[in-house]
Amino acid sequence: MKEIRVRFAPSPTGYLHIGGARTCLFNWLFARKNGGKLILRIEDTDQDRIKEDSINQILESLSWLGLDWDEGPGKSGEFGPYFQAERLDIYKKEVNRILDEGKAYHCFCTHEEIEEKRQQAQKQGDFYRYEGKCRNLSKEEVQKLLDQGKKSVIRIKAPESGQTVVTDMVRGRVVFENALLDDIVIMKSTGMPTYNFACAVDDNAMKISHVIRAEEHLSNTPKQMIMAEALGYEIPEYAHVPMILAPDRSKLSKRHGATSVEEFKEQGILAEALVNYLCLLGWSAENQEEILGLEKVKNQFSLERVSKNPAIYDTKKLTWINGSYLKSLDLEYITVLAVPFMKNAGILIENVNDEKLKMIIALVREKVWTLAEIAEASRYFFTDKFEYDEKGVEKYFKNPAVGGFLKELMKRLNELEVFDKETIEKVYRDYAEELGIKAGELIHPTRLALTGRTVSPGLFEIMEIMGSKECIERIEKALMTF
């Protein structure tokens, strides 16, 4: 069996989209499962669309996700360079070769001419296919036009009849009628290769064994196969994974929420959770598990388990998966990740010792779904400058009996020698029993006094972390509002 070599080939036109990240992930999994290599190739021949610093952003996003590559930017390899803009001589050499072999030709038809014919065909309800006007020009005629300074593109001589059959590892046998395919342009008049030609040349030069990419590229595959055959290349295996659609099954766009890896990172989504979620977009685990570590997915991954049906983008599911990872991953790791979000939220944590910070995060992470929410959920631990929830004030602080309850609780809490959650809870339950009321009638107004909120993690755990002095001062402050 030949060496497994797959590639991820993004264009640096912006942030790494989750569709691109999913494609890279599936390539990474296939390579790692089969002892192969992942090649990262930057397709930057369309210089007009390239955005500044996009390459660095893509590389950083892939690294953050844990998707390392074996050859590509920053990694040496015998098949470089790995930027297409640096491979122009290779493309020109191959173009000249098939021109000499009579498998390609100069086309001098202008864009305006072709566009006019296309529009005429559309008006008549016909499909337009370039009619091959320049296909049979003699060498002398071509040279004469070139000498006159006429601009040309290079077209490949595509078969005019028959079929091109793609045997796809996901979609099965897909047939394309050659009569519907143009003599495809392989080199623009600017001297830059077209996308499909550069792909065909590079996939061969880099010994790519399997091309795993999104379904939207399926229409490009017969074109690349025709080019590969004309160039005398071995054709790789193809696998086209399902598209990612919005919940309403429309094309995914910004209006459906975050769509780039960078956006999810900024929202406080964990890399582990996003990778887990991307795995489930078009692939299913053997036992239908949904919380899967990358190692487990790698061991199970196969293209046979990739669906033909579109994957539906569901941020609620991603958030749920993220919450699961927040609760289960190492506390120290989550703490390190949470600190930047806390600082960004204006929470000053310099004077909080590491153990106390970890206790706070251990408590609040049980009730939140993202790193950003950890910051908001823990804010009251770091400041008593907050507004009391209005509904809570109406319900608890305006109860005439509550002031007396809180004063007595302050006294009892102040007398405690040990201030831990078990001891605090006993104080509250004993006092509630003495009063003949439910403990909640003491717990809820205390929570409001300490946090400003009516909903929080367990009150007694909060009080233990805050400490006796802070708790008593906050209750005293609350009493001043009665």
Side-chain angles (χ1 to χ4, degrees):
M1 185 177 176
K2 63 183 178 182
E3 182 186 18
I4 299 294
R5 289 176 61 84
V6 297
R7 48 79 160 179
F8 176 55
S11 296
T13 56
Y15 290 109
L16 180 63
H17 188 274
I18 60 164
R22 195 271 307 262
T23 297
C24 185
L25 172 61
F26 281 12
N27 277 280
W28 186 92
L29 289 166
F30 187 76
R32 297 295 175 260
K33 173 73 179 291
N34 294 290
K37 290 182 177 178
L38 170 63
I39 290 78
L40 179 60
R41 185 171 76 217
I42 305 299
E43 299 191 338
D44 57 349
T45 55
D46 192 348
Q47 294 289 313
D48 292 337
R49 295 181 61 233
I50 291 174
K51 291 186 179 177
E52 190 177 351
D53 206 38
S54 179
I55 294 171
N56 286 337
Q57 290 166 349
I58 290 171
L59 300 184
E60 287 171 9
S61 290
L62 292 176
S63 297
W64 180 71
L65 290 169
L67 303 180
D68 57 321
W69 52 96
D70 301 289
E71 298 173 25
K75 299 280 183 75
S76 60
E78 59 182 300
F79 303 105
Y82 296 96
F83 290 82
Q84 285 189 332
E86 298 174 13
R87 299 176 61 82
L88 299 184
D89 288 345
I90 298 171
Y91 307 134
K92 288 175 182 175
K93 180 181 176 183
E94 290 297 81
V95 165
N96 290 332
R97 177 168 69 82
I98 56 173
L99 276 171
D100 291 342
E101 293 172 359
K103 296 175 181 177
Y105 61 93
H106 286 272
C107 174
F108 297 92
C109 298
T110 66
H111 173 76
E112 290 74 21
E113 286 178 84
I114 291 173
E115 191 57 36
E116 185 180 344
K117 290 178 180 179
R118 181 178 284 111
Q119 289 178 6
Q120 287 175 353
Q122 286 177 346
K123 286 177 183 176
Q124 296 168 5
D126 294 333
F127 171 78
Y128 176 74
R129 181 183 193 271
Y130 175 67
E131 68 277 16
K133 177 182 174 183
C134 300
R135 183 171 177 141
N136 297 312
L137 291 175
S138 67
K139 287 185 179 179
E140 292 75 20
E141 289 174 307
V142 169
Q143 192 58 53
K144 183 179 179 181
L145 290 168
L146 291 174
D147 290 343
Q148 291 172 3
K150 294 280 188 181
K151 288 188 175 182
S152 70
V153 298
I154 311 297
R155 291 182 182 269
I156 203 155
K157 289 183 178 178
E160 297 178 276
S161 61
Q163 298 173 327
T164 297
V165 179
V166 179
T167 304
D168 192 273
M169 296 177 73
V170 173
R171 320 203 76 76
R173 191 171 183 268
V174 187
V175 178
F176 294 87
E177 297 294 332
N178 291 334
L180 299 178
L181 298 173
D182 270 328
D183 279 356
I184 311 150
V185 175
I186 60 174
M187 187 72 82
K188 302 173 189 176
S189 60
T190 58
M192 296 295 280
T194 59
Y195 165 78
N196 283 308
F197 184 70
C199 279
V201 171
D202 288 344
D203 286 345
N204 177 75
M206 295 178 182
K207 299 191 182 299
I208 301 302
S209 63
H210 296 76
V211 174
I212 303 169
R213 58 188 178 188
E215 179 190 355
E216 61 205 63
H217 287 287
L218 183 57
S219 61
N220 288 321
T221 302
K223 300 172 186 177
Q224 292 174 18
M225 289 175 64
I226 288 169
M227 292 175 190
E229 286 171 357
L231 289 157
Y233 297 161
E234 183 178 350
I235 294 173
E237 299 282 342
Y238 287 97
H240 291 86
V241 300
M243 290 181 67
I244 302 174
L245 298 180
D248 61 1
R249 305 188 78 82
S250 65
K251 186 176 179 180
L252 188 60
S253 67
K254 286 277 188 186
R255 66 188 175 89
H256 300 110
T259 57
S260 74
V261 171
E262 186 68 21
E263 285 176 298
F264 285 117
K265 182 180 178 182
E266 289 173 355
Q267 289 178 5
I269 297 295
L270 298 164
E272 293 85 350
L274 185 53
V275 166
N276 190 146
Y277 176 66
L278 292 175
C279 288
L280 302 177
L281 288 176
W283 177 84
S284 58
E286 292 170 4
N287 56 4
Q288 302 301 309
E289 280 184 278
E290 295 200 310
I291 303 299
L292 297 147
L294 193 53
E295 193 65 27
K296 183 180 284 189
V297 177
K298 184 182 76 173
N299 293 333
Q300 289 189 22
F301 186 80
S302 70
L303 291 172
E304 287 75 23
R305 298 195 67 83
V306 174
S307 173
K308 296 179 184 179
N309 301 319
I312 304 301
Y313 178 74
D314 182 358
T315 52
K316 289 183 180 177
K317 186 169 185 178
L318 170 59
T319 303
W320 173 77
I321 290 172
N322 199 66
S324 298
Y325 277 93
L326 269 183
K327 295 170 182 62
S328 63
L329 290 176
D330 178 71
L331 177 58
E332 194 160 331
Y333 173 67
I334 295 297
T335 302
V336 169
L337 295 179
V339 165
F341 287 88
M342 298 172 81
K343 288 183 175 179
N344 193 50
I347 295 172
L348 301 175
I349 58 174
E350 282 77 10
N351 296 324
V352 179
N353 65 65
D354 290 344
E355 284 308 310
K356 183 175 181 180
L357 183 58
K358 282 193 278 188
M359 287 173 68
I360 292 168
I361 290 174
L363 183 61
V364 302
R365 72 172 174 170
E366 296 297 321
K367 299 286 185 181
V368 300
W369 303 100
T370 68
L371 291 168
E373 289 177 10
I374 283 180
E376 189 52 40
S378 62
R379 186 180 295 277
Y380 54 80
F381 280 103
F382 302 93
T383 180
D384 63 355
K385 292 178 175 61
F386 47 72
E387 299 291 327
Y388 299 109
D389 180 90
E390 289 183 13
K391 290 182 179 178
V393 170
E394 196 68 33
K395 188 172 182 180
Y396 304 121
F397 285 3
K398 292 191 177 180
N399 181 337
V402 167
F405 295 162
L406 290 180
K407 286 177 183 176
E408 178 60 25
L409 284 167
M410 279 174 56
K411 178 186 170 189
R412 297 188 182 201
L413 292 171
N414 197 41
E415 292 171 351
L416 291 178
E417 293 182 8
V418 177
F419 201 79
D420 59 23
K421 60 185 179 184
E422 292 82 11
T423 310
I424 299 166
E425 182 173 2
K426 188 173 187 309
V427 167
Y428 274 72
R429 300 209 179 277
D430 287 350
Y431 185 38
E433 192 174 337
E434 289 174 29
L435 294 170
I437 61 174
K438 292 181 179 178
E441 294 184 51
L442 304 177
I443 290 170
H444 296 313
T446 305
R447 175 182 285 109
L448 186 61
L450 298 183
T451 69
R453 307 177 186 192
T454 56
V455 178
S456 74
L459 174 65
F460 308 123
E461 287 85 350
I462 290 173
M463 294 178 75
E464 179 179 5
I465 294 171
M466 282 189 175
S468 173
K469 182 175 180 291
E470 184 70 22
C471 289
I472 291 168
E473 286 178 357
R474 290 193 183 197
I475 294 172
E476 205 166 33
K477 182 180 177 182
L479 285 169
M480 292 172 66
T481 68
F482 280 53

